[in-house]
Amino acid sequence: MGKILSIKDLSVRVARKRILENINLEIDEGEVFALIGPNGCGKTTLAYSIMGIPTIKVEKGKIIFQGKDITRLSVEKRARLGIALAFQNPPPLEGILLKYLLQLIGKKKVEFDLVSHLLEREVNVGFSGGEKKISELIQIISMKPKLAILDEIDSGLDIKKLEKVIRLIERELIQQGSSVILITHRPDILRKLKPQRVGVMLDGKIICISLEWKKVWKSIKRWGYEGCRRCKLLVRRS
């Protein structure tokens, strides 16, 4: 199994503030990788960096996708290569009906039952938080991505909708061979999707990558993210 994504010594800033520092991360083809950490630690900034959002300025380092250096490529070019991002807070797109956007994407037909009541409405205009998340996921699936970055796709969803979202991710992304970076604060979605690895981010750095997300989550539940910080300090001293 090859590497679909390699991030090497990446440091980025937003405006004049450095947000990420010396990020190193590799994602395998077909892997589900979970990224967790407290609010404001840099998870969304990392997602934006991979997608090439213009507000992110790379100070140093490289982003390699399927062997190609994409560090300076535009969002459009990265999307055409097969990278897709579900935003944590999707913006409204006035004047564009959801059904037309899905037709425009059009790489893969998707069941519209979860968004059938939204198809005749402008994208994200007046949508609830949960409706935005489901709409984003349907758009991502329609793109048939090689790498899907799901930034808190589970937030704002009740249990029934979360179950449907999980089934969609399993059936339409994971089982179809897409690699997935899952940014989340909820252990229930991890129990269902069973990531191969989990990374913990603190203060703009990935301080831990583990094959056992259950142990990591149990530790965080008991000790909080400060426990991760102390653990990292112990590693450095040893």
Side-chain angles (χ1 to χ4, degrees), residues 93-111:
L93 300 177
E94 296 182 358
I96 303 176
L97 299 184
L98 179 57
K99 69 176 182 180
Y100 292 139
L101 179 60
L102 292 173
Q103 289 172 8
L104 182 64
I105 296 170
K107 286 187 177 181
K108 179 181 177 65
K109 291 184 179 180
V110 186
E111 295 177 12

Side-chain angles (χ1 to χ4, degrees), residues 54-172:
T55 54
I56 305 299
K57 305 299 180 184
V58 175
E59 291 186 328
K60 68 169 187 173
K62 291 183 178 181
I63 302 172
I64 310 296
F65 181 71
Q66 290 192 312
K68 179 182 178 66
D69 188 345
I70 64 168
T71 312
R72 306 298 174 183
L73 291 187
S74 66
V75 173
E76 179 183 359
K77 289 181 179 179
R78 297 186 202 206
R80 290 185 182 279
L81 288 173
I83 303 175
L85 168 65
F87 288 87
Q88 182 177 346
N89 297 301
L93 300 177
E94 296 182 358
I96 303 176
L97 299 184
L98 179 57
K99 69 176 182 180
Y100 292 139
L101 179 60
L102 292 173
Q103 289 172 8
L104 182 64
I105 296 170
K107 286 187 177 181
K108 179 181 177 65
K109 291 184 179 180
V110 186
E111 295 177 12
F112 292 146
D113 58 321
L114 284 176
V115 292
S116 58
H117 62 299
L118 303 174
L119 293 175
E120 299 291 339
R121 292 172 58 182
E122 295 173 302
V123 178
N124 295 331
V125 177
F127 287 15
S128 68
E131 288 172 338
K132 289 180 181 180
K133 293 297 184 178
I134 292 171
S135 171
E136 282 280 286
L137 180 57
I138 295 295
Q139 292 169 47
I140 293 291
I141 292 169
S142 296
M143 293 175 66
K144 200 175 179 181
K146 297 173 183 176
L147 172 64
I149 308 166
L150 307 180
D151 192 356
E152 296 193 26
I153 197 69
D154 48 345
S155 67
L157 300 178
D158 59 32
I159 293 175
K160 288 185 178 179
K161 287 182 179 177
L162 178 59
E163 287 292 333
K164 290 181 178 180
V165 162
I166 288 170
R167 286 198 296 271
L168 274 175
I169 294 171
E170 286 180 324
R171 186 178 70 240
E172 304 293 347

Side-chain angles (χ1 to χ4, degrees), residues 125-226:
V125 177
F127 287 15
S128 68
E131 288 172 338
K132 289 180 181 180
K133 293 297 184 178
I134 292 171
S135 171
E136 282 280 286
L137 180 57
I138 295 295
Q139 292 169 47
I140 293 291
I141 292 169
S142 296
M143 293 175 66
K144 200 175 179 181
K146 297 173 183 176
L147 172 64
I149 308 166
L150 307 180
D151 192 356
E152 296 193 26
I153 197 69
D154 48 345
S155 67
L157 300 178
D158 59 32
I159 293 175
K160 288 185 178 179
K161 287 182 179 177
L162 178 59
E163 287 292 333
K164 290 181 178 180
V165 162
I166 288 170
R167 286 198 296 271
L168 274 175
I169 294 171
E170 286 180 324
R171 186 178 70 240
E172 304 293 347
L173 291 175
I174 297 172
Q175 292 179 14
Q176 299 302 316
S178 295
S179 301
V180 176
I181 297 177
L182 183 67
I183 299 172
T184 185
H185 289 288
R186 294 174 66 169
D188 43 0
I189 195 169
L190 299 183
R191 291 191 193 100
K192 296 290 186 178
L193 295 180
K194 299 178 177 62
Q196 283 83 15
R197 294 183 300 152
V198 61
V200 178
M201 178 171 274
L202 287 177
D203 304 326
K205 300 176 182 179
I206 296 177
I207 67 163
C208 171
I209 294 178
S210 173
L211 295 171
E212 301 184 72
W213 74 265
K214 288 182 181 179
K215 288 186 178 180
V216 172
W217 201 278
K218 184 177 180 181
S219 175
I220 291 170
K221 185 177 180 181
R222 182 175 182 181
W223 304 107
Y225 284 108
E226 285 304 311

